Amino acid sequence: MNEPARPLPRRFFARPTLTVARALLGCWICHRVDGRELRGRVVEVEAYTDDEASHARNRRQTPRNAVMFGPAGHSYVYFTYGMHYCFNIVTEREGAPGAVLVRGLDSIDSANGPARLCKTLGIDRRQNGVDLTVGESLWVESGPRRRRERVIQTSRIGIRVARTLPWRFYLAGSIGVSKRDPAAEGEVLSISSPPPRRPSASGKR
DNA sequence: CACACGATGCGCT
DNA sequence: GCGCATCGTGTGG
């Protein structure tokens, strides 16, 4: 049998979104499905509140984003591009929209990128609105970051607006990070390695 | 009702 | 770097 769940309590999630996002690094996402328990360690997240890139932009509430306005510690799973799911964890006090998009896990295969992560953990629309503090099917467990694991803070990915907000966090050097930002990591140029390729000026994403 | 488009990932150039 | 799958959602008429 599996170990009993030790879900993080509501008060962990009912804080400012940026605080929760950073605190989630190193924690475990656990999903009990089909009699087995899948778990991965969070290594990359993004914060969304009521900013221009958020589903709750302008604090506009809709059927889809409703759980972002609800109590913290619930899951917000949305469907996108006609084929993918993304998993978020609701933050802030009730009435204030906020969620952390979980973008990458390690200690499990194929969990780099928010959609692959959902596929690997078996998360889909059925998990939307689940209370993660119950510890019954889907929950989050504490997992303190290891010493020497640096937290990198940089801009979010895959959005067209609000790109200057540094609201993405990841653990440097971890497998499971969808996209690294060498500049934010303070990478030193080496004369023995080829020069980094510059992104073309046409890039819109 | 019509329509534009996306918090992505894959395969190919 | 680029095209594209594929459909729910929000917006506007």
Side-chain angles (χ1 to χ4, degrees):
Chain A
M1 262 324 249
N2 291 319
E3 309 265 316
R6 288 174 176 66
L8 283 169
R10 184 106 37 226
R11 65 176 180 278
F12 178 91
F13 304 104
R15 293 185 286 168
T17 307
L18 288 173
T19 302
V20 179
R22 185 183 276 268
L24 276 170
L25 293 174
C27 292
W28 295 83
I29 307 298
C30 313
H31 191 201
R32 227 170 245 162
V33 53
D34 296 334
R36 57 204 170 124
E37 188 175 300
L38 304 172
R39 50 170 62 213
R41 186 173 158 269
V42 179
V43 298
E44 181 186 359
V45 294
E46 284 178 358
Y48 289 86
T49 58
D50 60 354
D51 59 281
E52 273 305 294
S54 171
H55 290 170
R57 58 185 152 279
N58 305 323
R59 302 194 161 227
R60 181 81 87 255
Q61 192 168 344
T62 68
R64 179 178 66 163
N65 69 19
V67 299
M68 285 185 74
F69 291 78
H74 287 244
S75 72
Y76 169 43
V77 179
Y78 67 87
F79 182 61
T80 191
Y81 290 102
M83 64 190 93
H84 299 305
Y85 294 97
C86 293
F87 168 65
N88 298 252
I89 299 173
V90 175
T91 57
E92 306 280 348
R93 62 172 219 281
E94 188 162 1
V100 175
L101 172 68
V102 184
R103 291 190 56 94
L105 308 174
D106 71 6
S107 306
I108 188 171
D109 287 339
S110 301
N112 55 324
R116 264 197 302 267
L117 179 159
C118 283
K119 177 113 179 142
T120 298
L121 277 192
I123 293 174
D124 60 31
R125 69 187 75 219
R126 294 171 298 187
Q127 277 70 46
N128 188 39
V130 167
D131 187 346
L132 302 172
T133 67
V134 173
E136 187 262 327
S137 68
L138 183 59
W139 69 95
V140 187
E141 291 191 10
S142 170
R145 289 200 308 279
R146 292 144 200 179
R147 251 170 136 69
R148 296 186 10 256
E149 272 187 325
R150 269 194 311 149
V151 174
I152 305 300
Q153 177 169 190
T154 180
S155 52
R156 295 174 296 183
I157 288 180
I159 53 175
R160 305 167 58 109
V161 294
R163 306 193 23 199
T164 59
L165 295 176
W167 287 5
R168 182 166 73 106
F169 301 87
Y170 69 89
L171 297 181
S174 181
I175 190 76
V177 172
S178 62
K179 184 165 186 164
R180 296 182 44 203
D181 181 348
E185 294 183 32
E187 196 168 81
V188 178
L189 295 176
S190 164
I191 57 169
S192 61
S193 61
R197 194 171 291 289
R198 296 279 322 165
S200 81
S202 70
K204 283 216 160 167
R205 314 215 111 186

